[in-house]
Amino acid sequence: MKDEKKISSAVIKRLPKYYRYLLILQQMGISRVSSNDLSKRMEITSSQVRQDFFNFGGFGLQGYGYDVTLLVKEIGNILGMDKINNMIVIGAGNLGQAIANHTSFEKRGFKIVGMFDNNPRHVGDIVRGIEIMHSDRLTEFMSNHSVDIAIITVPREYAREVVDKVVKLGIKGLWNFASVELEVPDDVAVENIHLSESLMALTYKMKEIRNRKAKVLKKTESK
Amino acid sequence: MKDEKKISSAVIKRLPKYYRYLLILQQMGISRVSSNDLSKRMEITSSQVRQDFFNFGGFGLQGYGYDVTLLVKEIGNILGMDKINNMIVIGAGNLGQAIANHTSFEKRGFKIVGMFDNNPRHVGDIVRGIEIMHSDRLTEFMSNHSVDIAIITVPREYAREVVDKVVKLGIKGLWNFASVELEVPDDVAVENIHLSESLMALTYKMKEIRNRKAKVLKKTESK
DNA sequence: TAGATTGTTAATCGATTAACAATC
DNA sequence: TAGATTGTTAATCGATTAACAATC
């Protein structure tokens, strides 16, 4: 059996974006899309769309385009959404609760099965039908339930500790909001959310726009 | 005056990451770093570090390395953090409150100056010293205060409406958590947070790890 | 001075775009 | 069939890495 060639990370990074746009098309009741259509919506080239899908063997039909439903399914599968992902939220403060309330995840097979917090003020509260448990019960819970992903929404100073704990308990996926660098075994996947990086990207863009304006103004003056 | 050459977006995207690592060094009391040190921590090449900084003229000293404090300042300036950024939170639910409570922003000159919500249940509550106001007061507030950035944490169905409103009121930066595509004039900067894309990136990684394991297992068996 | 490490150019690598034959 | 649009290769472009002279 020949080794399938490695898909480049540039392509992978675009997949969730394709997925998102395809869901929008689906909601609009559009069942078929050409690489050209899709590329215009997403502000990329049609060549890139075809090239990207070609990496996976191609999902389209010459002279017709791509079937939206099929494409959603195929890309979903590539991204690992062909199964239910059971998730627990560790840290049931505002952020943890915000995520638990985010209904659109559930539609895509991401299911919150437990929430944990150290703070007695939160323990016992119900969020979207899930009772917040004390963190002491984490070990017991994880040995009785199948949990795929732990969402880390504790304050940063507790993050490493709880991560070590769930890793020991066998977790294989971490969605980390605690902006701490985590060290985990290489069979555990980590995705970090760095909100501050996004905020800085915003101020950079704002600065660029201000500079652009200043330049145009200067040009006009010197005329 | 010659046009300074355009910095590539690949470089820009790395700047917040450099910034983050440099802050860690600073906290550790390290005042000087070589491209080699930094590259190892960040898991990139030292060549890239030097090349990246060279884009801005170079911040280092031959035979010595880079001064951490200087570097933090320079990169901060490039990213537009050389000024206070006044921000308002629109949508004071769990997510809006979580962001308002995120203290590390404030240290970097990101200051929440107002919070707004439609829901009377939230109005009047105090979050980190800021009273949540009814959205009706947005227009009045913005004409009396200097606001740089609006953080959009309303449910997606209200997002476009409130964005149109603040754009009309002159906002120049939008940090959008509502996973809706926004259309704004081209002098308004937008940074979108798509949490679901990050979550899909995680399940993709998890799937890759599972596949890798399966392959190793197969190899072992066939021996 | 000798050693270290940047600044900077050149070489390589990979990703994007162009082009068009294949085919529905 | 004619028209449309993908699949797929080749060309181009840009980003990363290598190398080393400059210089602290």
Side-chain angles (χ1 to χ4, degrees):
Chain A
M1 198 215 306
K2 91 163 186 296
D3 259 308
E4 58 260 45
K5 72 167 176 310
K6 174 111 169 83
I7 309 292
S8 87
S9 73
V11 176
I12 301 302
K13 254 180 261 162
R14 275 191 296 271
L15 290 181
K17 199 179 165 199
Y18 283 122
Y19 194 81
R20 180 159 56 83
Y21 275 87
L22 289 166
L23 289 186
I24 295 173
L25 289 177
Q26 225 174 16
Q27 268 172 357
M28 290 165 64
I30 294 170
S31 64
R32 154 188 173 182
V33 69
S34 72
S35 56
N36 193 36
D37 280 358
L38 193 53
S39 72
K40 272 181 195 144
R41 284 175 198 277
M42 294 178 62
E43 299 187 336
I44 56 179
T45 65
S46 66
S47 217
Q48 183 160 67
V49 172
R50 292 198 297 281
Q51 187 70 272
D52 282 351
F53 295 167
F54 174 61
N55 278 292
F56 304 98
F59 304 131
L61 199 62
Q62 274 128 326
Y64 174 89
Y66 300 89
D67 181 277
V68 174
T69 308
L70 182 85
L71 213 45
V72 166
K73 201 160 158 266
E74 293 280 9
I75 296 178
N77 287 355
I78 295 166
L79 290 170
M81 299 169 67
D82 46 348
K83 67 187 283 293
I84 301 284
N85 282 285
N86 291 324
M87 313 196 291
I88 55 174
V89 174
I90 309 185
N94 280 319
L95 184 56
Q97 295 196 26
I99 290 168
N101 277 315
H102 210 293
T103 57
S104 70
F105 295 149
E106 199 157 352
K107 275 187 281 181
R108 297 291 142 198
F110 293 101
K111 206 176 155 194
I112 308 276
V113 294
M115 294 186 75
F116 298 88
D117 206 291
N118 254 329
N119 188 337
R121 215 187 64 202
H122 292 311
V123 174
D125 286 2
I126 310 270
V127 179
R128 296 204 98 236
I130 308 283
E131 188 189 344
I132 298 172
M133 290 169 270
H134 194 279
S135 304
D136 290 347
R137 294 182 52 197
L138 198 51
T139 307
E140 170 217 331
F141 185 90
M142 284 205 41
S143 42
N144 294 323
H145 296 77
S146 153
V147 181
D148 302 289
I149 295 171
I151 305 174
I152 310 299
T153 45
V154 295
R156 51 182 317 179
E157 54 271 32
Y158 302 120
R160 271 182 248 246
E161 184 185 327
V162 301
V163 165
D164 286 349
K165 192 167 171 185
V166 287
V167 165
K168 259 183 210 138
L169 292 167
I171 205 83
K172 291 295 175 256
L174 292 166
W175 200 21
N176 177 32
F177 286 76
S179 58
V180 200
E181 229 57 29
L182 300 178
E183 293 198 9
V184 295
D186 69 357
D187 67 337
V188 178
V190 180
E191 178 76 13
N192 295 300
I193 297 273
H194 288 295
L195 288 183
S196 65
E197 291 191 8
S198 161
L199 190 49
M200 289 181 216
L202 176 62
T203 52
Y204 179 81
K205 283 181 196 170
M206 292 170 70
K207 185 160 199 161
E208 257 201 327
I209 291 174
R210 286 198 303 270
N211 290 345
R212 206 174 61 205
K213 265 192 180 167
K215 217 174 273 175
V216 172
L217 211 66
K218 222 173 188 175
K219 235 181 212 162
T220 318
E221 270 173 7
S222 73
K223 270 193 185 158
Chain B
M1 197 215 305
K2 91 161 184 296
D3 259 307
E4 58 260 45
K5 73 167 174 310
K6 174 111 170 83
I7 309 292
S8 87
S9 73
V11 176
I12 301 302
K13 255 180 260 162
R14 276 190 296 271
L15 290 181
K17 199 179 164 197
Y18 283 121
Y19 194 81
R20 180 158 55 84
Y21 274 87
L22 289 166
L23 289 186
I24 295 172
L25 289 177
Q26 226 176 15
Q27 268 172 358
M28 291 165 64
I30 294 170
S31 64
R32 154 188 173 182
V33 69
S34 72
S35 56
N36 193 35
D37 279 358
L38 193 54
S39 72
K40 273 181 195 144
R41 285 175 197 276
M42 294 179 61
E43 300 187 335
I44 56 179
T45 65
S46 66
S47 218
Q48 183 160 68
V49 172
R50 292 197 298 281
Q51 187 69 273
D52 281 351
F53 295 168
F54 174 60
N55 278 291
F56 303 98
F59 304 131
L61 199 63
Q62 275 128 325
Y64 174 89
Y66 299 90
D67 181 276
V68 174
T69 309
L70 182 85
L71 213 44
V72 165
K73 201 160 158 267
E74 293 280 9
I75 296 179
N77 287 355
I78 295 166
L79 289 170
M81 298 168 68
D82 46 349
K83 66 188 282 293
I84 300 284
N85 282 286
N86 290 324
M87 313 196 290
I88 55 173
V89 173
I90 309 185
N94 280 318
L95 185 55
Q97 295 196 26
I99 290 167
N101 277 314
H102 209 294
T103 57
S104 70
F105 294 149
E106 199 157 352
K107 274 186 283 180
R108 296 291 142 197
F110 292 101
K111 205 176 156 196
I112 309 276
V113 295
M115 294 186 76
F116 297 89
D117 205 292
N118 253 328
N119 188 336
R121 215 186 64 202
H122 292 311
V123 174
D125 286 2
I126 310 270
V127 179
R128 297 203 98 238
I130 308 284
E131 187 189 345
I132 298 172
M133 290 169 269
H134 194 278
S135 304
D136 290 347
R137 294 182 52 197
L138 198 50
T139 307
E140 170 217 331
F141 185 90
M142 284 204 42
S143 42
N144 294 323
H145 296 78
S146 153
V147 180
D148 302 289
I149 294 171
I151 305 175
I152 310 299
T153 45
V154 296
R156 51 181 317 181
E157 54 271 32
Y158 302 120
R160 271 182 248 245
E161 184 186 327
V162 301
V163 165
D164 286 349
K165 193 168 172 185
V166 286
V167 166
K168 260 183 209 136
L169 292 168
I171 205 83
K172 291 293 174 257
L174 292 167
W175 199 22
N176 177 31
F177 286 78
S179 58
V180 200
E181 229 58 29
L182 300 178
E183 294 197 10
V184 295
D186 69 356
D187 67 337
V188 178
V190 180
E191 178 75 14
N192 294 301
I193 297 274
H194 289 294
L195 287 183
S196 65
E197 291 191 9
S198 160
L199 190 49
M200 289 181 216
L202 176 61
T203 52
Y204 179 82
K205 283 181 197 169
M206 292 171 70
K207 185 159 200 160
E208 258 201 327
I209 290 173
R210 285 198 302 270
N211 290 345
R212 207 174 60 204
K213 265 192 181 168
K215 217 173 272 174
V216 172
L217 211 65
K218 222 172 187 176
K219 235 182 213 162
T220 319
E221 270 173 8
S222 72
K223 271 193 186 158

